[in-house]
Amino acid sequence: DFSVSVPVQSHDELGELAQSIQTLANDLNHIKQERNDFLASISHELRTPLTYIKGYADIARRTNLSPQERTHYLQIIGEESERINRLLEELFYLARMDQNEFLITKERVRLFPFLHSIYERVLPAFLNKNIQLHLDSDHDVYVDIDPSRFGQVLSNILDNALKYSNEGTATTIRAFKKDWNVVISITDQGIGIPDEDLPYVFERLYRVEKSRARMTGGFGLGLAIAKQLVEVHGGSISVESRLGEGTTFTIVLKES
Ligand code: ADP
């Protein structure tokens, strides 16, 4: 640990300096702890698919398998490799954003047609699961965004709305002007997020329920990426949810 011993208690400059050093040491320890936790989580995420891959590779090597059985095992190996690949891609994406190597090219975009194109892109998946999708947007609002990056923010949130909602429910995308801002919200009628998890959902690798998350294929990185992208745009993102009733994600951007 970065331990320091600064017993100076005086209220002069030296005392203030001692105080700043103490704060800095605390911050560094906190960062170190977060980094260790993050690495531990990644190792854990990699271990499960690797266990499958190794196990099924051992089985697939057996000589007494039918071709169908062998194909089945090889298919699982392929899927689990794909899962590792997705994890690494998302982590790499976040790392690039951390390094500020990540440039966005903003342009003035009329919001309604932009949202409508995203709406049309995701609609089939919603209809497939018998979930209605609505779009309710002011028509004369402009924002400064990088359309592809900001599109990814909305896709990540809409993917979740789809994943965590049951058949027969509805999801609504709303966008309207408020003062000098534009408020974009996505409301689903899905399973909701427990109060105690709510403060953490934007953290990297945080998932509400690990076993169910594995079935739905998530790593707990989608919202961390969305938040970072919104912040790169100078906006903010927040979440409200009621367990068993649904969830609303709200993004606030400056109007252009
Ligand atoms: P994941 O890829 O696991 O979905 P995210 O970062 O996108 O990761 O979301 C983090 C966690 O927040 C998810 O594991 C899920 O439990 C919860 N969550 C996110 N969006 C919703 C939603 N619309 N409804 C219910 N739970 C959600």
Side-chain angles (χ1 to χ4, degrees):
D1 273 13
F2 302 95
S3 60
V4 286
S5 168
V6 270
V8 185
Q9 292 294 330
S10 58
H11 292 286
D12 54 14
E13 279 178 23
L14 194 58
E16 273 173 32
L17 185 62
Q19 200 63 70
S20 325
I21 292 173
Q22 186 64 59
T23 309
L24 195 61
N26 291 344
D27 287 353
L28 283 173
N29 282 330
H30 184 69
I31 291 168
K32 210 172 128 192
Q33 181 64 45
E34 277 191 346
R35 193 195 53 194
N36 287 347
D37 290 351
F38 187 58
L39 285 174
S41 306
I42 292 171
S43 316
H44 181 82
E45 288 302 330
L46 288 172
R47 197 168 301 130
T48 316
L50 282 171
T51 306
Y52 279 100
I53 290 172
K54 180 165 186 328
Y56 284 109
D58 288 344
I59 299 175
R61 265 201 299 274
R62 286 185 201 151
T63 47
N64 60 347
L65 291 180
S66 70
Q68 288 86 344
E69 282 174 315
R70 200 182 312 278
T71 306
H72 174 65
Y73 296 133
L74 290 175
Q75 189 180 334
I76 296 176
I77 291 173
E79 284 163 10
E80 294 297 323
S81 311
E82 189 43 51
R83 200 176 150 77
I84 293 178
N85 200 28
R86 269 210 323 277
L87 173 63
L88 295 180
E89 267 174 18
E90 290 180 10
L91 286 171
F92 186 63
Y93 199 70
L94 276 164
R96 272 176 52 215
M97 281 195 270
D98 284 348
Q99 296 299 318
N100 293 326
E101 284 170 17
F102 190 81
L103 295 180
I104 60 166
T105 321
K106 287 203 232 176
E107 50 188 276
R108 189 162 186 264
V109 170
R110 194 167 156 229
L111 194 56
F112 179 72
F114 172 75
L115 291 176
H116 196 260
S117 69
I118 290 176
Y119 170 86
E120 288 200 312
R121 201 173 68 212
V122 299
L123 185 63
F126 278 79
L127 293 182
N128 227 354
K129 203 177 164 184
N130 190 23
I131 298 173
Q132 291 182 47
L133 187 63
H134 305 293
L135 171 60
D136 175 9
S137 167
D138 281 352
H139 277 243
D140 284 316
V141 188
Y142 288 80
V143 284
D144 287 319
I145 55 171
D146 180 321
S148 106
R149 305 299 191 194
F150 198 74
Q152 196 191 349
V153 171
L154 300 177
S155 305
N156 287 6
I157 296 171
L158 285 165
D159 276 356
N160 283 342
L162 178 63
K163 268 197 293 194
Y164 301 111
S165 293
N166 293 318
E167 288 192 11
T169 60
T171 294
T172 305
I173 309 167
R174 287 191 187 83
F176 53 90
K177 273 195 248 199
K178 195 173 176 218
D179 304 326
W180 303 110
N181 292 325
V182 178
V183 179
I184 304 166
S185 66
I186 294 172
T187 300
D188 66 49
Q189 299 173 334
I191 60 174
I193 302 170
D195 279 344
E196 65 265 29
D197 293 297
L198 218 43
Y200 308 108
V201 292
F202 294 107
E203 286 186 8
R204 295 174 185 195
L205 296 171
Y206 191 86
R207 289 175 315 201
V208 171
E209 201 183 296
K210 311 281 179 218
S211 56
R212 184 175 50 203
R214 184 169 163 80
M215 277 163 45
T216 51
F219 297 112
L221 287 170
L223 289 177
I225 290 175
K227 181 175 160 72
Q228 203 140 348
L229 285 173
V230 168
E231 287 171 356
V232 177
H233 280 87
S236 66
I237 182 168
S238 59
V239 59
E240 285 168 276
S241 188
R242 287 182 83 87
L243 204 55
E245 290 183 20
T247 304
T248 296
F249 285 91
T250 305
I251 296 167
V252 181
L253 289 178
K254 284 259 167 298
E255 191 186 355
S256 165

